[in-house]
């Protein structure tokens, strides 16, 4: 990818580095990682209804009827786990791994905090009240990532806790190449904007604001990732970025996170949601009128959601 990469010149299935491919699933990315000539790992699992497409693209890369050795999740939001029901039927022996603090949302024990459609000032934020909210229940198919930071079936990589966007959000880092798969800890598109999401112009931004319930944690996570000085960052939304442009933009975001990423107002701006191993334990009350924001966004939301779902 170059600094001028955008949706028009970047295919839906795109190479990131040797052995790593991304798939743009409407507006969210997932990643295929080759770990040997005959094995691979899937990172994240896209939108609901996208399972057949994910399996088809995997067959193009690795051959038909070659399941991954594991599915690793950055977190459990609907756009990162939506195809798991289909995938686990097609690949009945494949284990799923996530951080311990994500398990309540993957075992049907807790829903995430409600999204905040008033932040970000864009179509994707305005539509967030329509997004699926119920937790998955993967039962015994989902396992906790090892406490030592290693990545099951993904040698040479380690996971890092990068909470804020969700309680157990993690990022994956390959030490030798300094390649980072960051999930939604930060993204390379203005995720709140429908127009920016369609254009896919490369820009470093904070996590999608409408689904981020803990801004102090999100800030610390960006600082942690900036300190890694990654050569490439493949994120949950947007086209991967690389080189000095990436590193400078990421450091700038870390140093000016409050000004660049944190909304000026919003449900979670001054009071984060709280969570533990059982799920969400506290959600701050709404202290501002949401009806005007929803009324403004609902007309665009219906038309925009149909349009986005047709884009590939």
């Amino acid at each position: 990818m170059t600094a001028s990469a955008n949706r028009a010149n970047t295919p839906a299935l795109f190479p990131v580095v040797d052995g790593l491919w991304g798939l743009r699933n409407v507006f969210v990315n997932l990643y295929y990682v080759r770990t040997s000539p005959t094995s691979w790992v899937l990172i994240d699992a896209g939108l609901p209804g996208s399972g057949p497409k994910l399996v088809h693209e995997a067959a193009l890369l690795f051959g038909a009827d070659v399941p991954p050795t594991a599915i690793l999740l950055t977190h459990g939001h609907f756009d990162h786990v939506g195809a798991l029901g289909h995938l686990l039927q097609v690949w009945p022996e494949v284990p799923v791994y996530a951080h311990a603090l994500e398990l309540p949302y993957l075992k049907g024990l807790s829903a995430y905090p409600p999204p905040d459609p008033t932040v970000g000032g864009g179509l994707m934020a305005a539509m967030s009240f329509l997004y699926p909210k119920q937790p998955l229940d993967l039962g015994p198919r989902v396992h906790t990532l090892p406490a030592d930071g290693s990545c099951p079936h993904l040698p040479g990589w380690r996971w890092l806790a990068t909470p804020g966007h969700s309680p157990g959000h993690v990022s994956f880092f390959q030490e030798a190449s300094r390649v980072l798969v960051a999930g939604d800890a930060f993204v390379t598109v203005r995720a709140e904007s429908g127009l920016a999401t369609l254009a896919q112009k490369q820009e470093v931004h904070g996590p999608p604001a409408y689904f981020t319930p803990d801004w102090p944690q999100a800030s610390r996570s960006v600082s942690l990732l900036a300190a890694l000085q990654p050569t490439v960052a493949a994120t949950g939304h947007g086209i991967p970025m690389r080189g000095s442009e990436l590193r400078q933009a990421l450091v700038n975001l870390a140093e000016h996170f409050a000004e660049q990423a944190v909304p000026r107002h919003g449900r979670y701006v001054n009071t984060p949601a709280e969570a533990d191993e059982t799920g969400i334990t506290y959600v701050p009350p709404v202290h501002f009128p949401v009806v005007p924001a929803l009324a403004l966004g609902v007309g665009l939301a219906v038309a925009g959601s149909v349009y986005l779902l047709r884009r590939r």
Side-chain angles (χ1 to χ4, degrees):
M1 312 303 157
T2 67
S4 60
N6 54 50
R7 183 186 288 267
N9 60 26
T10 304
L13 181 65
F14 52 86
V16 182
V17 295
D18 186 35
L20 174 63
W21 296 265
L23 177 65
R24 184 176 63 247
N25 180 207
V26 187
F27 62 85
V28 67
N29 299 326
L30 54 112
Y31 294 93
Y32 302 92
V33 190
R34 187 188 298 277
T35 55
S36 79
T38 58
S39 61
W40 63 282
V41 163
L42 179 65
I43 298 179
D44 287 345
L47 289 163
S50 64
K53 179 177 179 62
L54 272 61
V55 173
H56 172 75
E57 301 296 346
L60 294 179
L61 292 172
F62 309 109
D65 301 319
V66 180
T69 53
I71 300 172
L72 307 184
L73 300 177
T74 61
H75 60 302
H77 284 161
F78 82 100
D79 52 338
H80 292 258
V81 302
L84 279 178
H86 178 85
L87 297 181
L88 296 183
Q89 289 184 344
V90 175
W91 302 323
E93 305 300 321
V94 175
V96 179
Y97 292 89
H99 191 281
L101 291 179
E102 288 297 290
L103 294 191
Y105 321 103
L106 299 169
K107 287 180 172 282
L109 303 177
S110 176
Y112 285 108
D116 186 350
T118 70
V119 298
L123 174 64
M124 302 303 291
M127 289 197 304
S128 63
F129 72 98
L130 297 173
Y131 300 158
K133 301 174 181 63
Q134 295 305 310
L136 289 182
D137 186 0
L138 301 180
R141 296 293 296 274
V142 62
H143 308 273
T144 304
L145 285 165
D148 63 3
S150 61
C151 296
H153 306 279
L154 198 58
W157 293 72
R158 62 186 172 102
W159 66 264
L160 304 105
T162 48
H165 186 62
S166 73
H169 189 288
V170 300
S171 302
F172 300 102
F173 188 59
Q174 187 181 45
E175 296 280 1
S177 64
R178 310 199 73 75
V179 171
L180 174 67
V181 178
D184 288 359
F186 70 92
V187 295
T188 56
V189 68
R190 187 181 166 225
E192 299 80 17
S193 167
L195 291 176
T197 296
L198 288 174
Q200 294 282 293
K201 178 183 177 182
Q202 291 171 301
E203 300 175 336
V204 170
H205 287 273
Y210 47 87
F211 263 163
T212 300
D214 192 325
W215 289 102
Q217 281 195 334
S219 178
R220 290 190 289 271
S221 293
V222 168
S223 294
L224 172 68
L225 297 180
L228 296 175
Q229 297 187 327
T231 58
V232 179
T235 59
H237 303 269
I239 297 170
M241 291 179 64
R242 65 187 68 237
S244 60
E245 182 184 20
L246 163 68
R247 290 190 293 273
Q248 291 168 7
L250 190 51
V251 167
N252 186 59
L253 177 63
E255 292 178 348
H256 302 283
F257 190 85
E259 299 85 2
Q260 294 186 11
V262 181
R264 287 175 296 195
H265 59 78
R267 186 173 190 173
Y268 306 105
V269 170
N270 296 315
T271 307
E274 297 176 6
D276 61 17
E277 67 279 357
T278 67
I280 295 300
T281 60
Y282 172 75
V283 175
V286 177
H287 291 301
F288 49 87
V290 299
V291 173
L294 296 182
L296 179 64
V298 70
L300 290 174
V302 175
S305 59
V306 172
Y307 183 63
L308 284 169
L309 288 172
R310 289 178 176 174
R311 300 287 296 196
R312 297 289 172 181

